Amino acid sequence: MTDPIHTDALVIGAGPVGLFQVFQLGLQGIHAQVVDVLDQAGGQCIALYPDKPIYDIPGLPYSTGRELTQRLLQQVAPFQPGFHFNQQVSQVSRQADGRWLVATPHRQFLTRALFIAAGVGAFVPKELKLDGLAACAGSQLFHHLPHPELIKDRQVVVVGGEDAAVDNAIALTEGPHQAASVTLVHRREVLQASPQALKKLAELRASGRITFIAGQLTGIETRDDRLTAVAVNTPDDQTLNLPLDLLLVKQGISPKLGPVAEWGLAMERKQLRVDPASLATSAPGIYAVGDINSYPGKKKLIVCGFHEATLAAFAAASYLNPQASGVLQYTTSSALLQQRLGVHQNAASDP
């Protein structure tokens, strides 16, 4: 493993509250690194309802989860946070100098302040539970598109019926590293994907580039410890044998609290107890914002999470720099805040 990344702040979770935490930290002059178990920013908004309407975001009468994520990413862009996706934090331990060593399976961070914005937990892929399949993980079984060189000229079976499954099946037919064959398997004929993706899928099916099968995987075949085929039971009780080289499972994701419960922080009903004035947890330098925390009067709303992120950023600024004046500044008038945002004074009055 490479040397730890040194940072003043590490945010666990790149959902809306985590992204707004990065923004508020940036206003305080605190640069942040961000870790998320998903392969992109957005948290629940992207994972569960990317195209569903949200009506209670201040100043936005209407927004989809995808649009809200895009706006927040645009808002944090001036602060150039470091994003680390497809990584789940497994260990958090305090060091002798007061910093926190935070580890994922692939990366370590040394941070002075830690912000847990993990929502209802880490969103992890729903597994396909077939005897013997787990042994193929990482070699022939994947939950994200593998490296393009592994795909080229291979027979790939994709399992799932929502956006991610359809989009990935289409992606396997494009570019210089196309799969030799792509078969999409879903338990029923109806697919839940965007109209654009469904139209493209229909074109690829018509041209023979993608084969679609309605059914459920019931077993696997192996030879010399290699996955060679999967068995599919169809709605008319037929069993099909599908040869393959790679199996891509995109059956959605589900939240799990995960390792957070093992970090020694005070909890209440699987949520982190915090001081509502600072969002501080029971450990110095660790804050929790959003659905992961608990305090009297807590409401699980995005707008409340934004408020919590603001208070946590101010608390962390005082924690990291006790000598600071703490004078409240406003983005409308503060030259310092406008400089950090990359705008000039009186920008609001410009045409």
Side-chain angles (χ1 to χ4, degrees):
M1 187 176 290
T2 57
D3 292 336
I5 294 177
H6 294 248
T7 182
D8 283 331
L10 176 67
V11 178
I12 301 176
V17 175
L19 293 176
F20 196 66
Q21 184 68 76
V22 172
F23 174 75
Q24 287 294 335
L25 288 169
L27 290 181
Q28 297 294 327
I30 302 170
H31 181 261
Q33 301 285 330
V34 187
V35 175
D36 199 288
V37 71
L38 297 178
D39 58 0
Q40 60 182 320
Q44 292 186 54
C45 281
I46 288 296
L48 299 182
Y49 46 91
D51 299 309
K52 289 185 178 180
I54 306 172
Y55 298 107
D56 61 349
I57 304 299
L60 294 177
Y62 166 89
S63 174
T64 65
R66 195 187 315 275
E67 290 168 344
L68 178 59
T69 299
Q70 292 170 346
R71 288 174 179 271
L72 287 164
L73 285 171
Q74 182 180 7
Q75 191 174 36
V76 304
F79 305 121
Q80 300 181 330
F83 286 103
H84 308 269
F85 295 117
N86 291 318
Q87 298 193 50
Q88 183 175 14
V89 173
S90 54
Q91 297 179 341
V92 173
S93 57
R94 192 164 195 208
Q95 306 301 289
D97 61 2
R99 291 185 295 175
W100 293 94
L101 179 64
V102 180
T104 76
H106 309 292
R107 177 72 72 182
Q108 290 185 328
F109 303 85
L110 269 173
T111 183
R112 298 176 64 199
L114 177 63
F115 299 81
I116 303 174
V120 292
F123 283 89
V124 296
K126 292 181 180 178
E127 297 181 2
L128 182 62
K129 296 183 179 179
L130 297 175
D131 289 344
L133 183 59
C136 304
S139 59
Q140 292 179 275
L141 168 64
F142 299 92
H143 290 94
H144 303 285
L145 277 177
H147 193 280
E149 292 182 357
L150 291 177
I151 297 170
K152 187 176 181 180
D153 299 329
R154 302 297 178 88
Q155 300 177 94
V156 185
V157 172
V158 182
V159 182
E162 298 184 353
D163 285 283
V166 175
D167 290 344
N168 279 215
I170 293 171
L172 289 166
T173 69
E174 300 174 335
H177 298 89
Q178 298 177 22
S181 68
V182 179
T183 303
L184 177 62
V185 180
H186 184 49
R187 64 183 182 274
R188 55 196 182 96
E189 291 282 351
V190 178
L191 301 173
Q192 301 293 327
S194 68
Q196 297 87 346
L198 292 177
K199 179 181 178 182
K200 180 66 174 178
L201 176 65
E203 294 171 354
L204 291 169
R205 290 177 64 182
S207 66
R209 301 286 302 283
I210 292 180
T211 300
F212 174 77
I213 296 176
Q216 291 185 295
L217 271 66
T218 57
I220 67 171
E221 290 186 11
T222 60
R223 183 184 304 121
D224 299 327
D225 296 326
R226 293 282 297 175
L227 180 64
T228 58
V230 291
V232 179
N233 188 286
T234 65
D236 56 2
D237 286 332
Q238 294 187 29
T239 299
L240 304 178
N241 194 57
L242 300 181
L244 56 73
D245 299 303
L246 301 176
L247 179 62
L248 179 60
V249 178
K250 303 295 291 187
Q251 297 188 130
I253 56 179
S254 59
K256 292 185 179 179
L257 184 59
V260 175
E262 303 170 3
W263 297 343
L265 303 173
M267 303 194 71
E268 181 178 299
R269 297 181 180 179
K270 297 185 178 182
Q271 293 173 300
L272 296 171
R273 276 209 317 265
V274 296
D275 177 353
S278 63
L279 285 301
T281 67
S282 59
I286 298 184
Y287 306 84
V289 294
D291 290 353
I292 194 69
N293 72 21
S294 175
Y295 56 85
K298 167 73 180 184
K299 297 293 184 292
K300 290 188 176 183
L301 296 170
I302 295 176
V303 66
C304 295
F306 289 167
H307 168 70
E308 294 166 7
T310 304
L311 295 182
F314 277 95
S318 296
Y319 173 79
L320 296 175
N321 186 11
Q323 306 305 318
S325 66
V327 174
L328 189 63
Q329 300 185 60
Y330 303 93
T331 57
T332 53
S333 57
S334 169
L336 176 60
L337 296 186
Q338 291 177 0
Q339 180 184 22
R340 289 171 177 169
L341 287 166
V343 299
H344 54 76
Q345 285 187 324
N346 299 322
S349 63
D350 287 348

